[in-house]
Amino acid sequence: MLFNAIPISVVATALTLTYLASPPTLVTAAPNATPILPCLQAIPAAGGAQLLTPSDKAFPQALLGADYRFTFKPVAIYTPASVDQISKAVRCAAAAGVAVAPRSGGHSYEGYSQGGLSGSLMIDLSKFASVTVDASTNTAVVGPGIRLAPLYYKLWEAGQYVFPGGTCPTVGFGGLTLGGGYGMTGRMFGLALDQVVEMTIVTADGTVDTVSATQNPDLFFALRGAGGGSYGIVTAFKIKLQRVAAKVTSFSYSWDSGKAAQVMAAYSAWGASNPSTKVTTELNWDSSGSVEIDGTYLGPKADIPGLMKVLTDISGAPSDKDVRESTYIDSALRWTWTGETDPSTMQDPVPQDARYMKGSSILYSKPISKATIAVMAKHLAKKPAGATAAYAITDLWGGKVNAVAANATAFARRNNLFGIELVVEWGDYQSAPGKPDCAACLDWIKQFLLDLVAQYRAEYGTQLVPAYQNYIDKNLPDWQHAYYGDNWAKLVAIKGKTDPENVFRFPQSIPVKV
Ligand SMILES: Cc1cc2nc3c(=O)[nH]c(=O)nc-3n(C[C@H](O)[C@H](O)[C@H](O)COP(=O)(O)OP(=O)(O)OC[C@H]3O[C@@H](n4cnc5c(N)ncnc54)[C@H](O)[C@@H]3O)c2cc1C
Ligand SMILES: *[C@@H]1O[C@H](CO)[C@@H](O)[C@H](O)[C@H]1NC(C)=O
């Protein structure tokens, strides 16, 4: 669900990118295709819209996402200011045979908002970041380009509203919500995408459509779970807003090194014991040996010892704990890991956490077995050479996430109890992109995943190993079904109807035919 505490740093301003000598290209334009740049240049620049090409000084900075591993080279980066400009740009790309890669917050784990290969048109939605609350219906209209921390802050200021999204402050609302969106109130309110009641989308032919349960219902199904980059550009979301008690509790329990496997077993038993849906937690098992459980409980502090009893009976008392009763926004601020104490600091949408990293995930519908814990212990025994951090985060799923049918939205993974996310990081936080990857780090996470996959298959008696599409991962076997399960064929059919020329494509996009 989130990352280790993030050292505050400022992204370097003068960056030089070294591109691959002959970058792989996603498309070869047909010989008679219209060239894209003159077409883009002809779009009126009203509202401060901006077009950058690789020779522009500002291009390398604009290309940067949260993961410095990626230096795919788009043909251009277009930052539109209106839906009409988006339509025109998409038409330019379609006519030129160029793939379109929308970007909201730039946190794709495989660099897909750069296109995932060179040669795409990146459309940066940072100017679509408005939030308009309608208190009479407890809904808001939100732009895809806003990041999570400023969104939470604005909703809170507008009437103490809560939106169940992720924890990382700089993740984009657009990418998060189109693929799922799991955070510290997930078991109470479900996924971010479960809050969506209507969207506006620009599709491959440049038309602008409303998408809801009654208008374009097929797209309403597909965009909620498989919406990241495959069907069009979502330019606005109408979402339901939630409210919580005036005081909630955020808590952190940690244990001395050496207790990780035992705490993990206790966590599994506790998670399987059907704890209140008012609590959502994650366990962070770090390769340094430390283990910590962090959580939010939408109730008073006095309930925590009873709530955690099944766990502490097995794990033993934590060596350290930090339990705080506060307003909801203070708890959300705590889980941004910025170390700030004033919620108004959440307004600053500047990404401060870019790094080199790779993530992977598996979802579990049963308690985490001793054998799985042994696989974790083996790989977490030490950090791979060259890594700055290597860890596994186990989120407690279930609750309201599982209250929706697996075929009601494109998000097929509705029956899980736990999600295990593997993460490895390398390079310091201010290092510029374009450095060589840490081969030992990439090898570590791949082997870790494949050992968990083998254990899962043996235990569950199936080849299919489910995973979370927002931790999108090229190492995952049969990602098509791992992410989308039985919804796959329907998603492909909807893609074929909506975008038959496959304008919206990247290495793990939904294809036009099976
Ligand atoms: C540091 C970090 C912390 C994270 N924490 C959490 C967490 O707590 N909970 C959780 O659920 N997930 C979490 N994630 C995963 C996150 O949900 C995904 O990485 C998500 O895809 C990021 O969205 P984005 O808008 O920032 O990324 P982007 O890279 O901008 O977009 C991701 C994908 O969606 C597409 N896309 C973006 N905007 C649009 C749009 N408007 N219309 C159509 N397609 C679009 C892009 O083309 C790309 O394929 C985390 C990721 C990172 C890197
Ligand atoms: C969804 O699944 C249920 C249960 O398997 C089934 O009854 C229903 O017809 C399905 N709905 C759709 C739209 O496929």
Side-chain angles (χ1 to χ4, degrees):
M1 187 192 311
L2 53 80
F3 282 76
N4 283 347
I6 295 163
I8 302 298
S9 64
V10 177
V11 174
T13 43
L15 294 166
T16 33
L17 292 188
T18 44
Y19 295 115
L20 301 171
S22 3
T25 308
L26 197 51
V27 267
T28 328
N32 58 348
T34 328
I36 190 165
L37 288 180
C39 184
L40 293 170
Q41 279 152 355
I43 304 173
Q50 190 189 43
L51 178 67
L52 295 172
T53 63
S55 58
D56 283 307
K57 261 213 175 74
F59 186 89
Q61 180 72 35
L63 184 60
L64 283 190
D67 190 339
Y68 279 173
R69 260 195 311 145
F70 304 112
T71 55
F72 301 118
K73 190 178 177 186
V75 291
I77 300 172
Y78 183 54
T79 306
S82 71
V83 173
D84 184 55
Q85 288 167 339
I86 294 178
S87 288
K88 290 190 163 79
V90 169
R91 286 195 184 111
C92 290
V98 169
V100 175
R103 164 169 289 182
S104 287
H107 280 58
S108 166
Y109 275 22
E110 294 284 10
Y112 291 150
S113 53
Q114 287 179 354
L117 280 175
S118 292
S120 302
L121 170 64
M122 181 169 137
I123 299 190
D124 180 332
L125 299 164
S126 52
K127 290 187 186 294
F128 289 76
S130 66
V131 177
T132 311
V133 171
D134 179 351
S136 69
T137 55
N138 293 331
T139 60
V141 175
V142 177
I146 194 164
R147 296 175 193 272
L148 294 182
L151 172 67
Y152 296 162
Y153 182 75
K154 283 185 177 163
L155 294 178
W156 186 256
E157 288 293 294
Q160 308 210 330
Y161 288 114
V162 171
F163 176 75
T167 44
C168 174
T170 57
V171 162
F173 171 78
L176 175 104
T177 302
L178 292 167
Y182 188 75
M184 284 291 198
T185 57
R187 286 167 40 79
M188 182 71 182
F189 298 123
L191 298 170
L193 64 79
D194 294 324
Q195 320 306 314
V196 175
V197 291
E198 192 178 296
M199 287 165 275
T200 307
I201 188 172
V202 177
T203 50
D205 60 2
T207 58
V208 182
D209 290 307
T210 300
V211 175
S212 69
T214 53
Q215 290 173 275
N216 299 296
D218 274 357
L219 274 176
F220 193 53
F221 167 85
L223 293 179
R224 290 176 301 154
S230 286
Y231 294 93
I233 300 183
V234 177
T235 60
F237 296 77
K238 184 174 181 185
I239 54 170
K240 289 184 283 191
L241 301 176
Q242 308 289 353
R243 286 188 200 272
V244 299
K247 290 285 183 200
V248 306
T249 304
S250 64
F251 61 97
S252 176
Y253 281 16
S254 55
W255 286 261
D256 289 337
S257 139
K259 293 216 52 176
Q262 188 183 337
V263 173
M264 184 71 193
Y267 185 68
S268 175
W270 172 74
S273 74
N274 197 23
S276 164
T277 55
K278 288 186 185 171
V279 68
T280 303
T281 51
E282 60 173 56
L283 176 148
N284 186 348
W285 180 348
D286 193 278
S287 57
S288 67
S290 74
V291 59
E292 178 169 318
I293 295 172
D294 298 321
T296 295
Y297 172 64
L298 301 172
K301 184 176 174 173
D303 291 355
I304 300 295
L307 183 74
M308 302 308 285
K309 188 173 181 309
V310 172
L311 183 133
T312 47
D313 279 354
I314 305 172
S315 66
S319 32
D320 207 1
K321 57 182 175 187
D322 180 354
V323 183
R324 304 180 201 170
E325 205 174 66
S326 71
T327 61
Y328 171 79
I329 197 69
D330 281 334
S331 74
L333 174 61
R334 179 174 180 184
W335 302 135
T336 63
W337 301 99
T338 52
E340 299 286 352
T341 52
D342 175 359
S344 72
T345 57
M346 294 171 86
Q347 294 171 93
D348 178 6
V350 178
Q352 295 173 318
D353 58 352
R355 68 195 72 184
Y356 288 84
M357 60 152 289
K358 163 100 186 124
S360 288
S361 75
I362 296 189
L363 298 171
Y364 292 82
S365 58
K366 298 191 279 194
I368 308 294
S369 68
K370 285 255 164 1
T372 298
I373 294 173
V375 171
M376 297 176 79
K378 177 184 150 201
H379 289 278
L380 290 164
K382 92 181 197 324
K383 215 163 50 179
T388 46
Y391 50 98
I393 290 182
T394 305
D395 291 332
L396 180 63
W397 284 58
K400 199 64 179 289
V401 174
N402 293 358
V404 178
N407 62 2
T409 69
F411 194 91
R413 302 290 160 225
R414 297 293 190 168
N415 69 333
N416 292 291
L417 260 182
F418 299 99
I420 298 185
E421 185 195 2
L422 314 179
V423 181
V424 62
E425 302 174 12
W426 63 97
D428 67 79
Y429 296 97
Q430 300 195 32
S431 56
K435 288 188 179 174
D437 277 337
C438 167
C441 302
L442 292 172
D443 190 52
W444 175 85
I445 198 165
K446 187 170 190 176
Q447 283 313 315
F448 194 167
L449 176 76
L450 294 180
D451 284 355
L452 286 177
V453 163
Q455 179 54 38
Y456 185 100
R457 286 174 169 166
E459 230 171 86
Y460 286 72
T462 158
Q463 284 301 103
L464 176 72
V465 179
Y468 177 28
Q469 55 268 44
N470 269 0
Y471 301 145
I472 203 155
D473 177 14
K474 288 187 192 171
N475 288 339
L476 191 68
D478 187 13
W479 59 266
Q480 294 85 343
H481 296 94
Y483 295 141
Y484 306 108
D486 293 341
N487 291 331
W488 178 250
K490 184 172 173 184
L491 290 170
V492 173
I494 297 168
K495 169 74 177 182
K497 266 193 288 172
T498 311
D499 180 15
E501 305 295 326
N502 206 15
V503 174
F504 290 95
R505 63 187 179 275
F506 57 92
Q508 291 181 292
S509 57
I510 310 292
V512 292
K513 54 180 193 302
V514 197

